[in-house]
Amino acid sequence: MKNTLLDLYRKDSTKKVLASLISILAGLVVGAIVVVLVGLSKPNIGASGIWDGVRLIFAGILSTGRAATGELSWGFNARALGNMLFRATPLILTGLSVAVANKTGLFNIGAPGQYLMGTMATLVVALSIPYGTMPVFFVWLLAFLAGCAAGALWGAIPGALKAFLNINEVLACIMTNWLAANVVTWVFEESNMKNIVEGTKAGYIYKTTYGLTQVDGAWTYVEGNGVATAKMGLDKIFPGSQVNGGILIAIVIAIGVAILMSKTTLGYELKACGANRHAARYAGIRDKRNIVLSMAIAGGLSGAGAALYWLSGNTEFFWSTYQSLPAAGFNGIPVALLAVNNPIGVVFSALFMAMLNIVGQQLTGFTAYNEYITDVIIAVIVYLSAFSLLIRTKLSGKSKAGKTNANAELVKTEEKPTAEAETEKGGEDA
Amino acid sequence: MQSEFIIEMLNIRKEFPGIVANDDITLQLRRGEIHALLGENGAGKSTLMSVLFGMYQPEKGEIRKNGEVVKINNPNDATALKIGMVHQHFKLVDVFSVLDNIILGAEDTKFGFLQKKEARKKVQQLSENYKLHVDLDAKVEDITVGMQQRTEILKMLYRDNEILIFDEPTAVLTPQEIDELMEIMRGFAREGKSILFITHKLNEIMAVADRCTVLRKGKYVGTVNVKDTNKQELSNMMVGRPVQLQVQKDEAKPGETILSVQGLTIPSKSSKKDAVKNVSFDVRAGEIVCIAGIDGNGQSELVYGITGLEKTSRGKITLNGTDISKASISKRNAAGLSHIPEDRHKHGLVLDDTLENNIVLQRYREPAFQKFGFIKKAAVREYAEKIIGQYDVRSGQGPVTLSRSMSGGNQQKAIIGREVDRENPLLIAVQPTRGLDVGAIEYIHSQLVSQRDAGKAVLLVSLELDEVMNLSDRILVMYEGEIVGELDPKQTTVQELGLYMAGAKRNTKGGEQA
């Protein structure tokens, strides 16, 4: 092995990372092309406007705004980076959710529903425990666990349908998504947790920073009496941003999932069931239980994502969800795809997706462009990450030539001879 | 002037980076002969055929048809030269009818409309001439494997191919179907068609081929007249060393009963009838009991029932004194059951996982391999290396090799190592040598015999008559879900066995104790 670089390139994991990076790069390039085309079609943008747009697409997260001269200024943008971390938090968890299910051979498209159920349980618990009945931290913990449990339950339903009745989990997940949307709308409609704007029908559920407090004999929500995730010092590093300790919790969970999947007997069982349910059964692994368990874990992760997002107390929840599903749930799918289902990779791909989101805001804020251009980028990346398997195969095609197997007959089950290039060299002649 | 040979591949050399797949290989096919191409897995047979079909371009050598050099750049060129092939894994569209499959790609059209009438007439003619009975209107997914193969053959004939290549055609057929196919091939040869027959089954070569070309590890070993050779010589040529074709074993010394099956009945998945009907038998320590029968007579279901993969409706299974009739699969494994499954890709291995993880597939929960739910990777690695060494499992990267990338023989060795090493009193082996070459078969047979000699009870299910006759100490024949006969391999003949297998003879009542 003379060439360590070539060895590195030949490693499967390197190829996975490369494939994802290629998808990302292609997405950014397409985004830049859109920026250029839009710039050319609009006379008010001009050459310098186009140049600014392209630079923001690639490095918007490092832009600090416009200097007095009108030039874009660059540097450490604490606010943008902090917000990126804040937005990445739920994405990490929904990404993990999709990734865990995928490792067990299931496609968890139910993350939005699990996320919604998690949202509901978290908010209901956080808002219905009267202020002062227990330490705020316990309220936080209860609300967080309730979110996880609700998500887990919502994930276990399609899991059980799959395991015991062999109903396709994708169908069941889509159904449970909409069930969740309607259940959540209904529960909050009936609740007193709505904060209706004076004179309108529109309103939001109170933020978790509000606490149920008795004022003059009446129960009312008072700001500051509720719960919020601890900042854990991150507000010092990223002043002016929404960031809180949730991102650290999410990263710890990601590490936990990585350990679960790669080091434990449970992870081994889940993966065995996913890769070959028949062989798992043959070996005495309870495949049905594992399918339900895998979906429950996946649901619990989505629920945890919702809990961490809403427990931040930064954002108000618009309860009427019966016509839409949360993007944070669906975006778990591209996050997991981009990370090739690797739990640690999920952290990075979620951060990247959150960054694109912030870049969109920068575009709107600093240029004449519209933030929706970043949605185009995300769309291209999602599209390409679905192709990442193809890209990986292409990468393999080139490098594996080195050890291409002339004796495809070694692997009799492969279609031959087209599959010859695919099959690794076996031992017979090694 | 016509050349003696219809197709010649002269001094073909095909390299892949790091390996020479075909090294100076010459294959000359005479007009109207059946020419066998013999070689172990990995000998370069597929590569050579891919070169003939234009999928690979050889670095050296030339291909001639009727003595003239031809250039085959892609499969269409091969088709134009009237070369056709029946692949081992059929290339049929499952939801199309037989007729549609036959004309697919060579359809006659008029103004863009299919002209099926003409095609039907031609196919019917062919089917009668060569006694290739197929139901032209049946969907491929509904017909037997044998009929699917006849469909593939008709496909070649419909295209007027004169060079017919059969790639391992008998691997999927029952003994009767094999005989039929042999007859069909002889018919083709009489008609003047030339047949190239790729196989590693020596019996078939002896039965049907005129000449045989042997490849070994990418090299040309030689071409012999089948009349002037014998099985032993051919297998020595193929493997490169003298091979033990006959299993060496002493008299069995059966001990106590290990597995006892009483009145077992298992419902069928596909029909309302029971797949296994009131079957009873015992397997004792130190004997190999073989369940013989034509594929699909309930052998697979019987094994699934004993191993717990399928639910039984009636009957009692006792293993080593424990009633396991209703036990979970893991309990049965713990009670002393090792199982070499029929389908090593479906049940035997998690193909997309590493070899070492597959080796501990049933054992990862044992304290030796886990602590507090965390897998002891080092212990797994060490154990995997032990199995790999002990059972000679060859793979590219040792314990971390992806199982999928291993050869069939080595996958099977890994499974056998895993199952045998669990030291269970009962070993169930279902078609353990299916699709393997002579060297691997020899190894697996010797392993089974040594397990028997070590006092294990071995239940073998096999479709290969040779294997049944050579290996077993007792033969139970299954027919339509029942055990119809118990035979002593030393006192019976293949012919008699065949009669039992076909249901024409029986020496037991109902499914009473055989």
Side-chain angles (χ1 to χ4, degrees):
Chain A
M1 298 295 139
K2 298 164 209 159
N3 199 333
T4 42
L5 254 181
L6 199 66
D7 271 356
L8 187 69
Y9 177 71
R10 281 195 181 143
K11 276 178 86 169
D12 210 35
S13 42
T14 316
K15 271 176 219 137
K16 286 181 184 170
V17 173
L18 267 181
S20 295
L21 289 180
I22 288 172
S23 311
I24 288 174
L25 192 69
L28 293 177
V29 167
V30 169
I33 291 170
V34 172
V35 161
V36 172
L37 289 179
V38 170
L40 291 176
S41 69
K42 282 195 166 181
N44 64 336
I45 290 178
S48 71
I50 292 176
W51 177 229
D52 283 350
V54 170
R55 283 191 295 167
L56 280 178
I57 289 282
F58 283 98
I61 198 72
L62 293 173
S63 167
T64 52
R66 287 195 182 274
T69 54
E71 287 284 297
L72 279 178
S73 56
W74 303 92
F76 177 77
N77 187 341
R79 196 170 155 272
L81 283 166
N83 285 343
M84 175 182 94
L85 295 177
F86 173 65
R87 298 212 177 188
T89 306
L91 284 180
I92 290 174
L93 287 156
T94 51
L96 287 174
S97 169
V98 176
V100 164
N102 246 324
K103 289 237 175 193
T104 318
L106 300 163
F107 184 41
N108 180 21
I109 203 172
Q114 295 146 14
Y115 187 86
L116 269 180
M117 293 308 280
T119 303
M120 184 184 82
T122 302
L123 288 175
V124 166
V125 170
L127 291 174
S128 49
I129 297 176
Y131 177 65
T133 42
M134 61 174 81
V136 177
F137 173 73
F138 283 117
V139 179
W140 186 93
L141 194 63
L142 277 181
F144 176 74
L145 293 177
C148 298
L153 173 72
W154 221 244
I157 294 170
L161 289 172
K162 167 85 178 184
F164 297 105
L165 300 172
N166 204 21
I167 291 172
N168 189 310
E169 78 276 9
V170 173
L171 289 179
C173 277
I174 291 171
M175 302 250 195
T176 50
N177 278 348
W178 291 106
L179 274 175
N182 286 283
V183 166
V184 168
T185 306
W186 172 59
V187 166
F188 282 126
E189 278 274 2
E190 299 296 317
S191 78
N192 64 342
M193 295 165 187
K194 293 175 289 187
N195 180 17
I196 302 291
V197 180
E198 278 305 313
T200 67
K201 282 188 176 176
Y204 298 89
I205 301 302
Y206 283 101
K207 296 184 206 173
T208 54
T209 46
Y210 285 73
L212 198 56
T213 315
Q214 218 158 16
V215 182
D216 302 335
W219 287 103
T220 41
Y221 284 101
V222 175
E223 175 149 37
N225 285 350
V227 293
T229 312
K231 295 283 186 191
M232 300 188 193
L234 289 171
D235 54 337
K236 303 282 189 304
I237 308 172
F238 306 103
S241 73
Q242 296 178 293
V243 73
N244 62 41
I247 181 73
L248 300 179
I249 298 171
I251 291 171
V252 168
I253 292 175
I255 294 169
V257 169
I259 291 172
L260 173 81
M261 292 312 279
S262 64
K263 303 245 184 271
T264 67
T265 50
L266 178 62
Y268 177 85
E269 283 184 14
L270 292 178
K271 281 191 291 184
C273 282
N276 186 346
R277 195 175 160 184
H278 300 288
R281 232 166 82 71
Y282 153 85
I285 296 171
R286 281 185 287 167
D287 56 333
K288 289 181 178 167
R289 183 200 74 146
N290 280 329
I291 285 172
V292 180
L293 195 59
S294 161
M295 281 304 284
I297 292 172
L301 288 166
S302 285
L308 286 181
Y309 187 73
W310 298 108
L311 280 170
S312 71
N314 286 336
T315 327
E316 284 160 323
F317 177 65
F318 180 62
W319 78 85
S320 192
T321 59
Y322 63 92
Q323 284 176 328
S324 65
L325 292 167
F330 282 122
N331 283 341
I333 296 167
V335 165
L337 274 175
L338 210 51
V340 208
N341 299 326
N342 180 312
I344 302 302
V346 160
V347 174
F348 291 100
S349 60
L351 283 170
F352 173 75
M353 297 290 272
M355 185 198 83
L356 281 183
N357 208 301
I358 303 295
V359 165
Q361 292 179 345
Q362 307 272 56
L363 273 178
T364 317
F366 304 154
T367 69
Y369 286 104
N370 189 301
E371 66 178 294
Y372 297 116
I373 283 177
T374 55
D375 284 347
V376 174
I377 300 177
I378 293 175
V380 170
I381 291 172
V382 170
Y383 210 71
L384 285 177
S385 57
F387 279 113
S388 68
L389 187 72
L390 193 78
I391 300 176
R392 218 155 65 222
T393 323
K394 287 270 176 212
L395 290 173
S396 307
K398 273 177 216 151
S399 72
K400 266 191 193 161
K403 40 180 174 172
T404 295
N405 174 17
N407 308 324
E409 289 175 278
L410 287 177
V411 183
K412 270 287 173 190
T413 48
E414 294 284 351
E415 294 264 296
K416 52 182 163 176
T418 43
E420 293 209 359
E422 295 289 331
T423 43
E424 296 244 353
K425 188 169 147 191
E428 224 97 316
D429 43 26
Chain B
M1 195 195 100
Q2 272 206 330
S3 159
E4 180 193 359
F5 301 107
I6 185 151
I7 206 98
E8 292 169 278
M9 299 181 78
L10 301 173
N11 309 101
I12 299 290
R13 182 181 175 86
K14 177 67 204 164
E15 284 176 40
F16 293 102
I19 191 162
V20 184
N22 284 168
D23 185 3
D24 194 19
I25 289 179
T26 293
L27 176 69
Q28 292 173 304
L29 182 61
R30 284 192 186 130
R31 207 174 302 278
E33 78 165 338
I34 301 178
H35 192 119
L37 181 58
L38 176 67
E40 291 197 280
N41 291 334
K45 294 173 294 186
S46 281
T47 308
L48 190 66
M49 287 306 109
S50 301
V51 168
L52 182 58
F53 269 82
M55 289 176 223
Y56 295 135
Q57 296 306 315
E59 271 84 43
K60 263 187 224 153
E62 59 185 26
I63 300 173
R64 290 186 194 175
K65 189 179 178 200
N66 287 329
E68 282 169 40
V69 176
V70 290
K71 190 93 184 99
I72 303 176
N73 290 317
N74 56 50
N76 290 339
D77 291 351
T79 312
L81 291 169
K82 299 198 179 297
I83 304 174
M85 177 151 168
V86 175
H87 294 266
Q88 188 183 7
H89 301 279
F90 302 145
K91 315 258 182 224
L92 296 170
V93 184
D94 278 352
V95 294
F96 274 20
S97 73
V98 169
L99 180 65
D100 288 346
N101 264 294
I102 291 170
I103 63 174
L104 184 67
E107 309 92 343
D108 268 335
T109 55
K110 204 181 248 175
F111 313 117
F113 291 97
L114 283 175
Q115 299 298 308
K116 279 203 205 173
K117 239 184 219 163
E118 311 271 312
R120 179 181 294 269
K121 225 183 266 167
K122 182 172 173 186
V123 174
Q124 270 167 349
Q125 194 69 49
L126 288 169
S127 146
E128 268 162 44
N129 285 355
Y130 293 100
K131 300 201 172 53
L132 290 162
H133 300 296
V134 286
D135 176 359
L136 289 182
D137 298 308
K139 277 189 187 168
V140 165
E141 60 188 356
D142 299 331
I143 62 180
T144 62
V145 176
M147 210 182 268
Q148 288 180 5
Q149 189 171 58
R150 293 199 281 276
T151 306
E152 282 279 14
I153 296 171
L154 279 169
K155 245 164 92 177
M156 295 194 296
L157 297 175
Y158 183 75
R159 286 157 179 74
D160 301 319
N161 289 327
E162 41 187 47
I163 299 147
L164 311 179
I165 303 173
F166 291 82
D167 186 6
E168 305 265 354
T170 58
V172 291
L173 299 182
T174 61
Q176 280 75 4
E177 284 174 322
I178 292 175
D179 289 343
E180 276 174 43
L181 177 71
M182 298 285 162
E183 201 39 59
I184 291 166
M185 283 166 68
R186 285 190 200 103
F188 288 152
R190 278 196 297 273
E191 294 272 324
K193 293 188 187 292
S194 314
I195 294 174
L196 200 52
F197 177 32
I198 304 171
T199 187
H200 53 240
K201 291 193 188 163
L202 302 167
N203 283 342
E204 292 162 8
I205 294 178
M206 297 311 293
V208 76
D210 300 310
R211 293 193 306 150
C212 176
T213 293
V214 185
L215 305 185
R216 186 171 71 234
K217 291 184 177 162
K219 290 203 169 61
Y220 175 76
V221 180
T223 301
V224 291
N225 282 320
V226 171
K227 275 202 298 284
D228 308 333
T229 186
N230 56 45
K231 268 160 65 175
Q232 190 65 48
E233 195 183 328
L234 281 177
S235 72
N236 294 355
M237 279 172 85
M238 167 166 72
V239 183
R241 63 180 166 84
V243 176
Q244 206 72 52
L245 286 180
Q246 200 67 33
V247 182
Q248 295 291 323
K249 65 179 172 108
D250 303 327
E251 197 66 27
K253 299 178 201 73
E256 59 193 305
T257 300
I258 297 292
L259 174 75
S260 169
V261 174
Q262 297 297 331
L264 195 68
T265 301
I266 301 168
S268 164
K269 287 226 154 142
S270 50
S271 73
K272 284 202 179 92
K273 283 197 284 183
D274 286 331
V276 175
K277 296 169 197 157
N278 195 24
V279 163
S280 304
F281 64 92
D282 288 340
V283 185
R284 285 165 293 171
E287 68 169 349
I288 298 178
V289 174
C290 182
I291 307 242
I294 297 166
D295 197 10
N297 275 287
Q299 304 99 311
S300 306
E301 287 85 354
L302 176 64
V303 170
Y304 289 158
I306 296 172
T307 55
L309 283 165
E310 246 169 60
K311 285 203 171 67
T312 58
S313 55
R314 260 180 293 126
K316 189 174 169 194
I317 309 162
T318 316
L319 172 58
N320 222 5
T322 322
D323 182 358
I324 56 161
S325 316
K326 298 273 179 261
S328 71
I329 296 173
S330 52
K331 289 228 176 69
R332 289 178 203 224
N333 286 342
L337 183 147
S338 282
H339 175 198
I340 299 166
E342 179 177 9
D343 189 334
R344 58 177 166 266
H345 291 163
K346 186 178 175 190
H347 288 119
L349 293 169
V350 180
L351 286 175
D352 289 317
D353 208 342
T354 56
L355 177 57
E356 58 179 358
N357 278 348
N358 271 297
I359 283 176
V360 294
L361 196 58
Q362 297 105 330
R363 307 189 66 166
Y364 64 95
R365 273 179 181 282
E366 291 176 12
F369 300 114
Q370 60 105 5
K371 201 174 191 181
F372 310 125
F374 285 85
I375 289 176
K376 294 185 195 162
K377 293 247 156 145
V380 171
R381 175 72 47 90
E382 197 182 316
Y383 179 65
E385 269 162 2
K386 183 197 132 194
I387 296 280
I388 289 169
Q390 201 170 327
Y391 296 90
D392 190 30
V393 183
R394 299 196 201 157
S395 59
Q397 298 140 287
V400 296
T401 314
L402 209 59
S403 311
R404 186 182 291 284
S405 68
M406 290 162 54
S407 69
N410 282 303
Q411 289 175 342
Q412 190 72 346
K413 279 184 185 173
I415 294 173
I416 287 173
R418 179 180 78 199
E419 297 306 316
V420 166
D421 206 70
R422 281 162 59 216
E423 298 277 338
N424 281 326
L426 175 66
L427 176 64
I428 300 179
V430 188
Q431 297 193 49
T433 57
R434 187 164 73 164
L436 302 183
D437 50 60
V438 177
I441 290 174
E442 180 193 26
Y443 177 83
I444 287 163
H445 284 172
S446 70
Q447 277 291 335
L448 291 178
V449 171
S450 69
Q451 283 304 299
R452 179 200 78 163
D453 293 342
K456 306 285 158 61
V458 180
L459 179 63
L460 172 73
V461 175
S462 178
L463 303 177
E464 306 268 346
L465 289 179
D466 284 350
E467 193 165 276
V468 172
M469 296 299 281
N470 281 335
L471 214 52
S472 54
D473 300 313
R474 237 167 4 116
I475 302 172
L476 302 173
V477 186
M478 265 188 106
Y479 174 71
E480 292 195 339
E482 291 175 274
I483 289 183
V484 294
E486 175 174 354
L487 301 166
D488 181 346
K490 282 191 257 354
Q491 286 164 17
T492 188
T493 59
V494 175
Q495 283 71 23
E496 192 186 7
L497 191 56
L499 289 176
Y500 280 97
M501 286 165 67
K505 213 176 162 186
R506 61 193 299 159
N507 68 8
T508 51
K509 276 189 225 148
E512 285 308 299
Q513 171 64 42

